Amino acid sequence: MKKLVLSLCLSSIVSVTTAAADSAIGTWNIDGVEKSVDALRANSQRMLSDVGPLDVLVLQEVISAEQVGEIAEAMGFPFWAISDFSPPLSITQNGYASLEVAVLSQIPMKSAVEWDTTGREPTGDGYRPRSSDQNLETAELDIKIPVGDPRPSRGFLRVELEGGLTVYAVHWKSSRNESCNPADLENAALR
């Protein structure tokens, strides 16, 4: 019986590894605050011609589900999910205060969950990820471990795909090409 269980566990690991190895996965910081929908569609088409078809694409600096839907349509992705960390642009009036991450996929999604650091501890702000599939299971993660001080300023989106592949979308604070100045050190601590 132990050999059977070990064999099943190993075959599960191998099948997940094979699914990941056979998938073309990309990431793209779309600079959604600065780009129009038309520019994002054009950039999507250029990416397809430069990189070729992708099975999964992770997006950063997204500010709306509409942007994600437009990119998904332009690139032929039938499935997508977007985090809901921040209030929308209509409330913040500042795109950089409304940043989200997203996952686009050719592979059907099983679930989309987020860990949101912006709301009340530890479960976030009560707003779940949004998706192209209204029936997709979505949730906020309740992580019951200490995350340190300072508390991370950004969360993550985790999307489980059929076939065993799990994708994490993150967008960590950058150093803005600075080095060892106080702002960079603060951002490094948040990362």
Side-chain angles (χ1 to χ4, degrees), residues 134-187:
Q134 299 303 315
N135 296 317
L136 184 70
E137 176 186 339
T138 62
E140 283 190 303
L141 293 175
D142 184 4
I143 298 177
K144 297 180 187 220
I145 58 171
V147 292
D149 188 29
R151 183 173 175 78
S153 62
R154 297 186 179 171
F156 61 81
L157 174 68
R158 181 184 75 204
V159 176
E160 292 181 318
L161 304 173
E162 288 185 8
L165 184 60
T166 300
V167 178
Y168 286 81
V170 297
H171 182 239
W172 292 8
K173 299 279 287 175
S174 72
S175 63
R176 298 191 184 276
N177 297 321
E178 303 289 332
S179 178
C180 297
N181 66 27
D184 181 47
L185 293 175
E186 182 180 325
N187 285 344

Side-chain angles (χ1 to χ4, degrees), residues 74-137:
M75 297 183 77
F77 285 102
F79 308 103
W80 57 262
I82 179 175
S83 62
D84 198 343
F85 303 138
S86 306
L89 184 60
S90 61
I91 292 173
T92 66
Q93 302 300 307
N94 176 351
Y96 293 104
S98 295
L99 295 177
E100 304 292 347
V101 293
V103 174
L104 288 66
S105 179
Q106 299 292 343
I107 305 163
M109 296 179 173
K110 292 172 50 178
S111 68
V113 298
E114 68 183 34
W115 180 57
D116 188 347
T117 64
T118 60
R120 63 190 187 289
E121 291 188 39
T123 57
D125 60 8
Y127 294 98
R128 297 174 175 204
R130 292 157 287 155
S131 166
S132 57
D133 177 359
Q134 299 303 315
N135 296 317
L136 184 70
E137 176 186 339

